[in-house]
Amino acid sequence: DTVTSLEEASEVQQVIIGKNIGTLSTDFDGIVDIRCADRAAAEKLLAGEHYAQAMTRLGEVTQYEWTARLTHVMHGL
């Protein structure tokens, strides 16, 4: 709920959460995809308190030592 609440941020267009992706032990248990209108909106979100609080809460309920965090900017069509 905390992660999906990021959709309330003005910078966010969409939040998608994928669970149990793949069947191998090296596959992902979960992926969070956050779509913003542009790079400036993404940077503002990542620097903001709402994102920091959501990631802190997420870290509290996951095994942080097994968690990889990859943030990247993708360009759509």
Side-chain angles (χ1 to χ4, degrees), residues 5-6 19 21 34 39 44 50-51:
S5 77
L6 289 171
K19 299 178 185 176
I21 296 113
I34 302 171
R39 184 182 187 109
K44 183 177 177 186
H50 193 163
Y51 181 80

Side-chain angles (χ1 to χ4, degrees), residues 11-69:
E11 302 85 12
V12 175
Q13 293 178 324
Q14 184 178 34
V15 174
I16 299 171
I17 299 173
K19 299 178 185 176
N20 298 321
I21 296 113
T23 57
L24 303 175
S25 63
T26 55
D27 290 339
F28 297 99
D29 294 324
I31 294 177
V32 176
D33 181 62
I34 302 171
R35 185 171 300 171
C36 299
D38 55 31
R39 184 182 187 109
E43 289 174 351
K44 183 177 177 186
L45 174 71
L46 293 175
E49 187 62 28
H50 193 163
Y51 181 80
Q53 288 176 358
M55 293 303 108
T56 297
R57 298 269 327 266
L58 184 60
E60 292 169 354
V61 298
T62 59
Q63 291 181 290
Y64 66 88
E65 64 275 11
W66 292 4
T67 301
R69 178 172 176 225

